[in-house]
Amino acid sequence: MRKLPKLEPETAFYWTCGADGRLRIQRCGQCGTYQHPPFPRCSNCGSEAVAPAPVSGKGRLASYTVNHEAWVPGLAVPFVFGVVELAEQAQLYVFTNVLGREVRIGMPLTVEFEHHDDIWLPMFREDRE
């Protein structure tokens, strides 16, 4: 069993967006900048007009590590923990598991969700399209 995040008001949208299969990232309504993790104000222009917005769920693997030690009891090893740069904006990163054993820097990825109770964990897998 994975350790699940707590559903906080500021981040609950990120952990529950998989219910409809669409990844959402906070976006500024003033300047259009995406930011992750979410903040009360836009890190680019300072506007408070920030809200969750759907994204394509596509990206590329910017970096990764292969972990051979379980961080919590019952976690299957080895597993890949990756830095995914989302397609919507340069340097918009999500840190998450990359599913599959064959990984390489720059590989195209697509989101898929792992469902646990009220939480859908966004993870990524090679995009073969």
Side-chain angles (χ1 to χ4, degrees):
M1 179 71 179
R2 292 184 181 275
K3 184 171 179 166
L4 300 175
K6 186 174 178 187
L7 293 179
E8 302 285 351
E10 300 81 17
T11 60
F13 76 88
Y14 180 76
W15 301 116
T16 60
C17 65
D20 69 2
R22 297 287 313 267
L23 182 63
R24 287 176 175 76
I25 300 293
Q26 189 181 64
R27 189 172 193 193
C28 179
Q30 185 76 27
C31 71
T33 299
Y34 289 96
Q35 60 187 17
H36 184 75
F39 294 106
R41 294 178 169 269
C42 175
S43 58
N44 185 53
C45 73
S47 171
E48 293 181 357
V50 292
V55 294
S56 66
K58 306 285 186 181
R60 70 170 192 87
L61 188 58
S63 185
Y64 69 93
T65 182
V66 178
N67 293 275
H68 295 274
E69 184 174 334
W71 293 352
V72 294
L75 184 61
V77 292
F79 64 93
V80 179
F81 189 73
V83 180
V84 179
E85 183 178 38
L86 297 178
E88 280 68 22
Q89 178 179 296
Q91 298 182 349
L92 175 61
Y93 299 111
V94 173
F95 296 80
T96 187
N97 288 110
V98 177
L99 305 172
R101 301 277 185 243
E102 300 294 322
V103 295
R104 66 189 180 287
I105 299 296
M107 76 186 281
L109 301 168
T110 191
V111 72
E112 80 178 47
F113 297 93
E114 184 178 286
H115 182 209
H116 299 273
D117 300 322
D118 294 335
I119 295 173
W120 284 261
L121 297 173
M123 300 184 184
F124 284 78
R125 181 178 300 281
E126 184 174 14
D127 186 353
R128 298 184 184 266
E129 291 181 19

